[in-house]
Amino acid sequence: VKDADSLSVKADLSLTGFIQAGNVETVIFRASSNVSFKPWEKGLFETKNSYVYQEFGKEKADEDILSLNFLRFTPERKISPLVLAFVSTNFRREIDLRYLFGAGATFQIFKKEKNFLKFALTCEYENTDFKKSTFNQMEYNGNNSIDALRGTLWVQGEYHLFKKKVIVKHESFFQPSLEESDNYRWRADVSLEFPLWKFLNFKINYLDTFESVVIQGQKQDDSVLTFGFKLKNYL
């Protein structure tokens, strides 16, 4: 296993979840993977993929697939441009398919060894196909497909504490429509990791998502707390 900065391909896989049996049966499972590599000397491609499944009383409550893909140019610089493309589906929110693509720039605020804080500003076009056409906001009623031009603020950080015995990570974004003030969303993903071995960390993960435009009768906010392990090929 090598240090992450010296690897041509960096990869990790996290498997976390929660199971409750008895009078109330609950199953929550989350899998997430991160893979990055350099397609050329001054470029970096990153793909972040996640799958969330929830079941209550043996009835499926959610199944969420999300793929975030970034191509970064000169990523070693404090300011670096990027292009991005997302694809997602969501069972509970009754989203058949959502895709988004755009471009922007990343700004490195702080970096020391493995600790860093950075943010990015991007602009994207988005299209979402829903199973229904009745929403909590009446102006969107009658359309199964909603598109939007969005601006996004990203914040990402990683901190190794207590002589690297605890790792705190966070990645979040706020994504408003540039045309409709009542159409916006956010996502916050926060984790604590405790290294058990150079290949393996114990992981606690909290995920919170919010969407202002949802199908009528649905709640706008979702949150999931899971526990599990992370496998990696780097130190």
Side-chain angles (χ1 to χ4, degrees), residues 108-126:
Q108 189 84 50
I109 303 302
F110 167 78
K111 185 174 183 180
K112 185 177 181 181
E113 297 180 345
K114 296 181 180 180
N115 302 289
F116 69 85
L117 175 64
K118 60 185 178 181
F119 75 90
L121 293 173
T122 58
C123 183
E124 305 90 11
Y125 169 80
E126 174 189 282

Side-chain angles (χ1 to χ4, degrees), residues 9 21 26 36 53-54 61 76 79 89 97 105 109 119 129 140 162 166 175 181 185 192 195 218-219:
V9 178
T26 303
S36 63
Y53 179 84
Q54 296 187 66
E76 72 282 355
I79 301 177
T89 65
L97 178 67
I109 303 302
F119 75 90
D129 293 327
Y140 297 101
F162 307 112
V166 178
Q175 209 167 48
S181 61
R185 73 169 63 93
L192 287 175
Q218 293 185 356
K219 293 184 178 180

